[in-house]
Amino acid sequence: MVCAQRARAPQLARSPGERLSRTLVALGGIYALGACGRLDFDAVSDRSFPNCPADHDEDGDGLGDPCDPCPHIAGDDSDRDHDGVGDACDPAPDTPGNAIVSFLAFDAPPAWNETTSAPWTYANDVAHVALVGDQVAALTIASFGDVVVQTRVVVSAVSGDMPPQNPARNFAVIDNYDVVTDSGLFAGMVQQWGTPLAQPSILRITDGVGTSVLDIADADPTIALDVPYELTYRRMGAHISETLDGPDTGAPFALATDQSDTGGQLGIRARGVTIDFAYVIVIR
C-alpha cells in the first residue's frame, strides 16, 4: 500500500540549494516520520493517507516527504514488503521490518546534536559549514545498531590553511562516535593536506586522528569541487560497509570490514572543508 499519489511534477535537475526539505519529529531522542502511519519503528500495515502534502518534496516527484517511501529518490515508489520503506532504498526489500527513522532535508536546524568549531547554518535547504585547518563539525544522534545512513554532499573548498596538526581533510558518516574526544568509526573520503589525492576510507579515529585503517580504496581520486557525492554507510551486526559514488569515481567505491558495535553517536562529520549536506536519511 502507498499514500494516495498526486500527479507527478516534471523531474528537473536540482542543485542542493533547490531541494525542498523537512526536519522530522523527535520521539525520545530517535526521529520518526509523522505521517502515513510512520509513527514508530514498526512495520506499517496501512500507509494510505488522503492528503499527502507536497510542501516538502525533497526529490521533486510530487509525493511529499512524510508519505514518500524514499523521500530522496524520485521515481519508483513501490514497496513490495509493505514496511514503509520503498524498494529503491530498502536494505531488505523483500523482508518487512525496516523503517525510516530520520529524514533531514535541512530547511530548519535539525534536532540532532551539533558539535562544531565553526557554525553550522541551515539555508537554501542544505546544512552548510566552512571549516579551515583542523576545524571539525559533526551532527549526531544516539547510535542504535543495525542501520543504513545515506547522505549527499557537495564540497566547495578544501582548506589549505596552515600546516595542520592532522593533515586529513575529509567528510564522513560516523558511528560509535564520542563527541567529546572526536573518536569512533569513520566511513567517507579523506584527502591529505597539501596534495590533490583523496581516498575513500573506513577508519577508526581517536582524538580526531585516524589510528587504524580498516579498509581503503586502491584508487586515488581527488575531491571534486561543487559536484555531488552520494555516501552510504551500512551496519549489520559487526559487519560495516561504505559505498561512495561521485563524478570522479567511475563505478562506486565499495569498502567493508568487521567492527563490533560499541554504541555512542551516529551522524555526519567533516574536517577542514567547506561543505553542504543536502539530506541525511537513516533507515533501521
Side-chain angles (χ1 to χ4, degrees):
M1 300 180 189
V2 298
C3 298
Q5 296 191 18
R6 299 182 177 193
R8 293 184 178 276
Q11 186 63 32
L12 303 177
R14 288 171 169 260
S15 69
E18 295 171 315
R19 289 184 168 80
L20 298 174
S21 56
R22 181 177 178 90
T23 301
L24 303 178
V25 179
L27 296 178
I30 302 297
Y31 300 82
L33 288 169
C36 299
R38 288 191 280 180
L39 297 174
D40 52 32
F41 303 150
D42 295 333
V44 176
S45 59
D46 184 357
R47 295 198 305 110
S48 60
F49 195 73
N51 297 304
C52 214
D55 55 336
H56 293 287
D57 182 9
E58 175 73 16
D59 56 14
D61 64 0
L63 193 62
D65 293 346
C67 299
D68 195 327
C70 291
H72 60 309
I73 301 175
D76 184 8
D77 294 323
S78 60
D79 178 14
R80 59 181 179 265
D81 62 8
H82 307 297
D83 63 2
V85 184
D87 297 342
C89 59
D90 193 331
D94 293 308
T95 304
N98 297 107
I100 299 173
V101 297
S102 183
F103 181 68
L104 304 178
F106 301 120
D107 61 319
W112 288 27
N113 305 311
E114 287 190 9
T115 305
T116 184
S117 48
W120 286 97
T121 60
Y122 306 97
N124 300 317
D125 299 328
V126 298
H128 173 86
V129 67
L131 303 166
V132 297
D134 287 331
Q135 289 182 322
V136 173
L139 292 173
T140 63
I141 56 173
S143 187
F144 46 87
D146 293 352
V147 70
V148 177
V149 181
Q150 296 176 320
T151 185
R152 177 175 294 166
V153 306
V154 174
V155 176
S156 56
V158 177
S159 175
D161 296 276
M162 64 183 158
Q165 208 173 25
N166 179 355
R169 306 292 189 244
N170 53 60
F171 61 84
V173 172
I174 48 176
D175 196 7
N176 301 155
Y177 185 64
D178 184 325
V179 299
V180 175
T181 63
D182 190 24
S183 303
L185 292 174
F186 168 109
M189 176 79 100
V190 179
Q191 179 167 316
Q192 299 302 312
W193 179 82
T195 154
L197 299 181
Q199 290 181 297
S201 307
I202 301 178
L203 309 172
R204 181 167 291 282
I205 59 174
T206 304
D207 297 325
V209 178
T211 53
S212 300
V213 177
L214 304 175
D215 197 9
I216 194 165
D218 292 332
D220 289 326
T222 61
I223 294 181
L225 301 183
D226 302 316
V227 290
Y229 284 90
E230 306 282 348
L231 174 61
T232 301
Y233 168 81
R234 294 178 174 85
R235 171 179 284 282
M236 183 63 67
H239 186 72
I240 62 174
S241 64
E242 169 193 345
T243 304
L244 180 69
D245 195 8
D248 58 343
T249 60
F253 286 106
L255 308 174
T257 188
D258 290 331
Q259 291 289 302
S260 298
D261 185 4
T262 58
Q265 298 281 298
L266 172 75
I268 53 176
R269 176 187 179 276
R271 174 190 286 272
V273 294
T274 299
I275 191 168
D276 291 341
F277 289 86
Y279 62 78
V280 179
I281 186 168
V282 180
I283 301 170
R284 187 176 184 181

